[in-house]
Amino acid sequence: MKKRVLLKDIANELGVSTTLVSYVLNDNKNVKVGAEIAKKIRETAKRLNYEPNYIARSLKSRKTQTIGLIVADISNPFFSNLARIIEDEAGKYNYTVIIGSSDENPEKLKKILNFFSIRLVDGFIVVPTVDSFEMINSLSINNVPFVLLDRSLDNISANCVVIDNFKASYLATQHLLKKGIKKVGLIAYDANLNHFNDRIQGYQEALKSYKIVPDKNLIKMIKYSDFREQIKLAVSDLVDNHKVESIYFTTNTLALEGLKYIFSLGMKIPEDIDIMAFDYSEVYNFFQYHIPHICQPTKEMGVEAVKLLIEQIEQDTKRIKKVYLDASLSLDFYCTNV
Amino acid sequence: MKKRVLLKDIANELGVSTTLVSYVLNDNKNVKVGAEIAKKIRETAKRLNYEPNYIARSLKSRKTQTIGLIVADISNPFFSNLARIIEDEAGKYNYTVIIGSSDENPEKLKKILNFFSIRLVDGFIVVPTVDSFEMINSLSINNVPFVLLDRSLDNISANCVVIDNFKASYLATQHLLKKGIKKVGLIAYDANLNHFNDRIQGYQEALKSYKIVPDKNLIKMIKYSDFREQIKLAVSDLVDNHKVESIYFTTNTLALEGLKYIFSLGMKIPEDIDIMAFDYSEVYNFFQYHIPHICQPTKEMGVEAVKLLIEQIEQDTKRIKKVYLDASLSLDFYCTNV
DNA sequence: CTGAAAGCGCTTACAG
DNA sequence: CTGAAAGCGCTTACAG
């Protein structure tokens, strides 16, 4: 490793104290420094290629300029896109991001939260899993800056950035109904998470607005642990026993798995069945027909989350903000939000 | 934030020095500590929930237990899978990973390298871009621990973990030839990178082994900057003017873009044309027919890279190791390596 | 406007 | 076997 240039080196070079050098290079507004010497310090720093030692600075300031991001499943393109955006965005504020994936498992979430706080991140952006209320709430109680992303929790005083899932789902369902479809099956994850419930609610309300009574038998709840098998059963039941004209998948992973199965049955879209999906997938580009789907404003979600968190960290504000964004229905081939 | 427990707190509690506490909790082998007091220290640490301050430790030890990973394009599933594996693997050694994406741009690679070294990462795992020789070489000269992943560079003394691209490509091409195909078009990136060249070499040698003289007109070099358009032209030329029976795409991004275009032409696989691809894609699961492709041992690549790097960091060894792994040809529907 | 000094929380060479 | 003290590279309250 090259020997690093220290504050002391600059100070020695100019015969001044490190205090002064530190003041100048940090643009400390509370202190007046002679214009000439300030200029010299800046020049020398530049010439010697000085880079502050973040570790030393962190030890004193108790800030690491690092954000811990915990998503629900990093192998899901929705979350990896989000992660990418957050990294880029945080970089603009000169923050580093470390990423963890809870894999929808609250135990793992807890582990990562712990690992990250030991590493002294300045704050968290987290996509909460089921049964995570306690740990998230304890962040809140301990005044750790954080923002919930993609999913909110009830009864918790927390910043969050989410989309209006009810509205999006209402829109999606309505789109099918507008085409004259009356029997819409819904496939959702069986997880106690607001955003999932909202999607089901939106679907039901849309049906009601068309004077259709929601039928429990058309709503299929899938366990995350065994979703491939369960989707097959759900699709079969909807198609064979209930003769649905359309299936609405409330997440991208469900949609992809469902489509695979539908194709394997030799069914054609939209001749044999209509489809609606929540979230974009790259895969949709390979079909002859367009799969209508809800597009989430990923970019905005990431940007807002970072902004909110850094506000919280740097201004040490206690003011809680909740950001609701709108998702849109993609009827063209490409999703403009990605 | 909760008040953190310090070494001093443990020391005060027991009426011993922090030195002793530090020795015990770090299992310092060079020092003998009384068994009884050691036990008490460990118990108290546990009871108080002591977690060492990594920042303070880092300042002294000059190690941050952090790895900088720089991939060529994090939006490419091949690299995001790799990133995931590396994070998990590094976690086992108690290392944190920060990830950057060069987007195949050497300027950006340089920026990230710089950003990460300011953050004092202990070492790098990097997928080099074109024109990155100088910066990588300077890591080597400055004794910064690092390992090259997925791509090697010539004339550089560096650890690396790569697959045998020549062999894999030979295998892939041979598979087509075995079926009796004589005219195989190849679509590759026009980038001066060993692994890409090796893939072209492997293709050519396989042809020769079947007494076919490689035809330059069947080898299409695609510029990264404008690849969508160029792929269309390449495919059209191969199909219309050269009547190839098969196209071999040497990366997953090329294959996906190419397939999109082939479908849009209304061509059927394998009736109208045979396909070979390098790398698995989730998309292949949605076709009626199997797209034969080279499967890279992603898991092994990540595991080996982390192992090599941490060896380098912790044992401060100068011994360079180059790890060559074999890729396999996937003829089943699923790729077993992912 | 400038500097000496304390301190962030550890580690470790040294002395006893 | 144990502890006082220096030091990692910064920041900043305080004194002048």
Side-chain angles (χ1 to χ4, degrees):
Chain A
M1 297 257 188
K2 257 185 285 202
K3 189 123 124 278
R4 284 181 65 115
V5 178
L6 310 179
L7 275 191
K8 197 162 61 161
D9 298 322
I10 300 175
N12 286 345
E13 182 107 2
L14 295 172
V16 298
S17 69
T18 57
T19 309
L20 212 51
V21 179
S22 171
Y23 284 150
V24 171
L25 297 183
N26 288 315
D27 278 323
N28 190 322
K29 300 287 178 208
N30 302 322
V31 171
K32 290 233 170 291
V33 179
E36 241 177 86
I37 190 70
K39 190 166 162 241
K40 271 193 195 156
I41 287 172
R42 267 186 255 275
E43 280 169 5
T44 311
K46 190 149 200 178
R47 181 164 51 77
L48 298 182
N49 243 318
Y50 173 73
E51 291 291 355
N53 181 323
Y54 275 77
I55 299 296
R57 181 182 280 180
S58 293
L59 186 59
K60 194 81 183 100
S61 67
R62 297 161 170 283
K63 301 270 186 225
T64 52
Q65 298 268 113
T66 303
I67 292 174
L69 168 65
I70 311 180
V71 297
D73 176 10
I74 194 68
S75 66
N76 181 334
F78 172 68
F79 290 118
S80 54
N81 284 333
L82 214 42
R84 176 68 191 278
I85 290 160
I86 288 173
E87 278 188 310
D88 288 350
E89 196 61 21
K92 292 184 193 163
Y93 295 89
N94 207 17
Y95 274 72
T96 302
V97 177
I98 56 182
I99 303 173
S101 177
S102 69
D103 301 332
E104 300 285 8
N105 176 346
E107 299 302 319
K108 199 163 172 205
L109 173 57
K110 194 163 189 174
K111 257 194 191 149
I112 301 175
L113 276 170
N114 191 248
F115 184 74
F116 283 4
S117 42
I118 292 175
R119 288 320 191 92
L120 299 172
V121 297
D122 294 339
F124 293 94
I125 297 179
V126 20
V127 178
T129 62
V130 291
D131 301 329
S132 60
F133 177 84
E134 287 303 334
M135 39 189 140
I136 301 293
N137 198 36
S138 94
L139 292 180
S140 173
I141 290 170
N142 290 309
N143 274 320
V144 178
F146 74 101
V147 358
L148 297 180
L149 181 56
D150 180 50
R151 311 174 179 179
S152 67
L153 294 176
D154 290 334
N155 305 319
I156 209 162
S157 160
N159 296 290
C160 72
V161 177
V162 293
I163 63 158
D164 187 334
N165 284 283
F166 176 90
K167 203 202 272 181
S169 199
Y170 190 96
L171 212 65
T173 311
Q174 217 180 31
H175 173 74
L176 296 171
L177 300 171
K178 271 191 199 149
K179 296 205 275 184
I181 291 171
K182 304 238 177 300
K183 267 196 138 167
V184 181
L186 174 138
I187 297 189
Y189 277 121
D190 183 12
N192 185 20
L193 287 165
N194 286 339
H195 73 309
F196 286 157
N197 295 335
D198 290 349
R199 291 179 194 177
I200 298 173
Q201 296 292 327
Y203 154 86
Q204 291 176 321
E205 287 308 313
L207 289 178
K208 288 184 197 159
S209 80
Y210 269 70
K211 313 268 180 259
I212 299 171
V213 180
D215 176 353
K216 294 248 161 179
N217 295 312
L218 302 190
I219 299 179
K220 299 295 184 185
M221 304 300 276
I222 303 292
K223 295 268 183 225
Y224 190 75
S225 52
D226 176 39
F227 76 110
R228 284 175 218 277
E229 271 320 299
Q230 296 205 17
I231 287 172
K232 289 183 189 171
L233 296 175
V235 169
S236 290
D237 187 56
L238 289 173
V239 170
D240 296 341
N241 303 333
H242 297 290
K243 315 284 178 209
V244 297
E245 306 155 77
S246 170
I247 298 180
Y248 168 28
F249 295 97
T250 59
T251 81
N252 58 354
T253 44
L254 292 171
L256 293 191
E257 214 48 41
L259 286 170
K260 253 184 240 174
Y261 184 60
I262 286 171
F263 293 154
S264 79
L265 295 176
M267 297 181 78
K268 296 266 176 253
I269 303 169
E271 294 85 340
D272 300 325
I273 192 153
D274 260 283
I275 296 293
M276 174 61 68
F278 209 102
D279 268 348
Y280 167 79
S281 168
E282 140 118 279
V283 169
Y284 299 157
N285 292 305
F286 290 84
F287 303 150
Q288 259 58 295
Y289 30 79
H290 177 63
I291 304 284
H293 58 271
I294 293 292
C295 267
Q296 300 201 55
T298 328
K299 181 80 191 284
E300 259 182 282
M301 291 172 75
V303 168
E304 287 296 325
V306 170
K307 205 175 116 193
L308 221 59
L309 180 62
I310 291 183
E311 255 175 52
Q312 200 76 191
I313 293 171
E314 299 196 341
Q315 298 167 20
D316 235 335
T317 160
K318 305 264 174 194
R319 204 152 33 85
I320 295 303
K321 244 194 234 168
K322 302 202 183 267
V323 177
Y324 296 91
L325 301 173
D326 270 331
S328 60
L329 187 55
S330 147
L331 300 175
D332 305 318
F333 215 87
Y334 287 97
C335 180
T336 53
N337 284 321
V338 171
Chain B
M1 296 257 189
K2 255 183 289 202
K3 189 122 124 279
R4 284 179 64 114
V5 178
L6 310 179
L7 275 191
K8 198 162 60 160
D9 298 322
I10 300 176
N12 285 345
E13 182 106 3
L14 295 172
V16 297
S17 70
T18 57
T19 309
L20 212 52
V21 179
S22 171
Y23 284 149
V24 171
L25 298 182
N26 288 313
D27 277 324
N28 190 323
K29 300 287 178 207
N30 302 321
V31 172
K32 289 234 169 291
V33 178
E36 241 177 86
I37 191 68
K39 190 166 162 239
K40 270 192 194 156
I41 288 172
R42 267 185 255 275
E43 279 169 7
T44 312
K46 189 147 201 181
R47 181 164 51 78
L48 298 181
N49 243 320
Y50 173 74
E51 291 290 355
N53 182 323
Y54 275 77
I55 300 295
R57 182 182 280 180
S58 293
L59 185 59
K60 195 80 182 95
S61 67
R62 298 161 171 281
K63 301 271 187 225
T64 53
Q65 298 269 111
T66 303
I67 292 174
L69 167 66
I70 311 179
V71 296
D73 176 10
I74 194 68
S75 65
N76 181 335
F78 171 68
F79 290 118
S80 54
N81 283 335
L82 215 40
R84 176 69 192 279
I85 291 161
I86 288 172
E87 278 187 310
D88 289 349
E89 196 60 21
K92 292 184 194 165
Y93 295 89
N94 207 19
Y95 274 71
T96 301
V97 178
I98 56 183
I99 303 174
S101 177
S102 68
D103 301 332
E104 299 285 8
N105 176 346
E107 299 301 320
K108 198 162 173 208
L109 174 56
K110 195 163 189 172
K111 255 194 192 151
I112 301 175
L113 275 170
N114 192 248
F115 184 74
F116 284 4
S117 41
I118 291 174
R119 288 320 191 92
L120 299 173
V121 297
D122 293 339
F124 293 94
I125 295 178
V126 20
V127 178
T129 63
V130 291
D131 300 329
S132 60
F133 177 84
E134 287 302 336
M135 40 189 137
I136 302 293
N137 199 35
S138 95
L139 292 180
S140 172
I141 290 170
N142 290 310
N143 274 320
V144 178
F146 73 100
V147 358
L148 297 180
L149 181 57
D150 181 50
R151 310 174 179 179
S152 68
L153 294 176
D154 290 333
N155 305 319
I156 210 163
S157 161
N159 295 291
C160 72
V161 177
V162 293
I163 63 157
D164 187 334
N165 283 283
F166 175 90
K167 203 202 270 181
S169 199
Y170 189 97
L171 212 66
T173 311
Q174 216 180 32
H175 173 75
L176 296 170
L177 300 171
K178 269 190 200 150
K179 297 206 274 186
I181 292 171
K182 304 238 176 300
K183 268 195 139 170
V184 182
L186 174 139
I187 297 189
Y189 277 120
D190 183 12
N192 185 19
L193 288 165
N194 287 339
H195 71 308
F196 286 158
N197 295 334
D198 290 350
R199 291 178 193 178
I200 298 174
Q201 296 293 327
Y203 155 85
Q204 291 176 320
E205 287 307 313
L207 290 177
K208 288 183 197 160
S209 80
Y210 269 70
K211 312 269 179 256
I212 299 171
V213 181
D215 177 353
K216 294 248 162 182
N217 294 311
L218 301 189
I219 299 180
K220 299 295 184 185
M221 303 300 277
I222 304 291
K223 295 267 183 226
Y224 190 74
S225 53
D226 176 39
F227 77 109
R228 284 175 218 276
E229 270 321 298
Q230 294 205 19
I231 287 172
K232 289 183 188 171
L233 296 175
V235 169
S236 290
D237 186 56
L238 289 173
V239 169
D240 296 341
N241 303 332
H242 297 290
K243 316 284 178 207
V244 297
E245 306 155 75
S246 169
I247 298 180
Y248 167 29
F249 295 97
T250 58
T251 82
N252 59 352
T253 44
L254 291 171
L256 292 192
E257 215 47 42
L259 286 170
K260 254 184 239 174
Y261 184 59
I262 286 170
F263 293 154
S264 79
L265 295 176
M267 297 179 77
K268 296 266 176 254
I269 302 168
E271 293 85 341
D272 300 324
I273 192 155
D274 259 285
I275 296 293
M276 173 62 69
F278 210 101
D279 268 349
Y280 167 80
S281 168
E282 141 118 280
V283 170
Y284 300 157
N285 293 306
F286 291 85
F287 303 150
Q288 258 58 292
Y289 30 80
H290 176 62
I291 304 283
H293 58 271
I294 292 293
C295 268
Q296 300 200 55
T298 327
K299 179 80 190 285
E300 259 182 284
M301 291 172 76
V303 169
E304 287 296 325
V306 169
K307 204 174 117 192
L308 221 58
L309 181 62
I310 291 183
E311 254 175 53
Q312 201 75 191
I313 293 171
E314 299 196 342
Q315 297 167 22
D316 234 336
T317 159
K318 304 265 172 192
R319 205 152 33 86
I320 295 304
K321 245 195 234 169
K322 301 202 183 269
V323 177
Y324 295 92
L325 300 172
D326 271 330
S328 60
L329 187 56
S330 146
L331 300 174
D332 304 320
F333 215 87
Y334 288 97
C335 179
T336 53
N337 284 320
V338 171

